[in-house]
Amino acid sequence: RAKPSPMIGWLSAYFVTQIIEVPIYAWLLRERSHRWLVALGASTVTHPIVYWAFPLLPTSYLVQLSYAEAFAVVIEAAWLSWFGLRHSVWWALVANGLSLSIGLALRNTVGWP
């Protein structure tokens, strides 16, 4: 079976991330205008860096993953806080933990994303 292109791999991972994280953030931001755009923006800012840059670090996959997820939580929390979300670090940790867990479970069970 042919391996998908790197861009297809990224788009698949991005899609899974957005399906999980955007509804969480949008619900939390329900009192704010443009909540869906703000929610979409959070992981849109971090996901390309997490997917493309952190794997280049000369260290183990587990360390790369740990740094990448910590980066995503910090940046997304700052983003959400900028738009007025209280407890943004907690919520970014929840959303990213959920999308990471589901993404890894999907990859290990069905080979996607």
Side-chain angles (χ1 to χ4, degrees):
R1 183 170 122 169
K3 191 172 183 178
S5 75
M7 186 56 79
I8 296 298
W10 174 73
L11 286 171
S12 297
Y14 177 74
F15 175 76
V16 169
T17 298
Q18 296 299 50
I19 281 190
I20 296 162
E21 292 183 16
V22 168
I24 294 169
Y25 293 150
W27 180 76
L28 293 166
L29 296 162
R30 63 192 172 277
E31 302 297 322
R32 296 182 182 62
S33 62
H34 308 295
R35 67 186 177 128
W36 288 99
L37 288 175
V38 173
L40 183 68
S43 55
T44 297
V45 168
T46 60
H47 200 275
I49 298 165
V50 164
Y51 190 89
W52 296 105
F54 282 93
L56 300 175
L57 294 175
T59 187
S60 71
Y61 175 72
L62 185 58
V63 171
Q64 292 170 359
L65 188 62
S66 299
Y67 287 165
E69 290 303 315
F71 165 81
V73 167
V74 167
I75 300 303
E76 289 176 26
W79 172 269
L80 294 165
S81 180
W82 188 31
F83 287 98
L85 182 64
R86 295 183 59 209
H87 310 294
S88 62
V89 173
W90 164 251
W91 290 115
L93 188 59
V94 168
N96 279 275
L98 192 57
S99 66
L100 173 65
S101 299
I102 292 171
L104 290 175
L106 284 170
R107 182 177 297 161
N108 287 325
T109 57
V110 297
W112 180 85

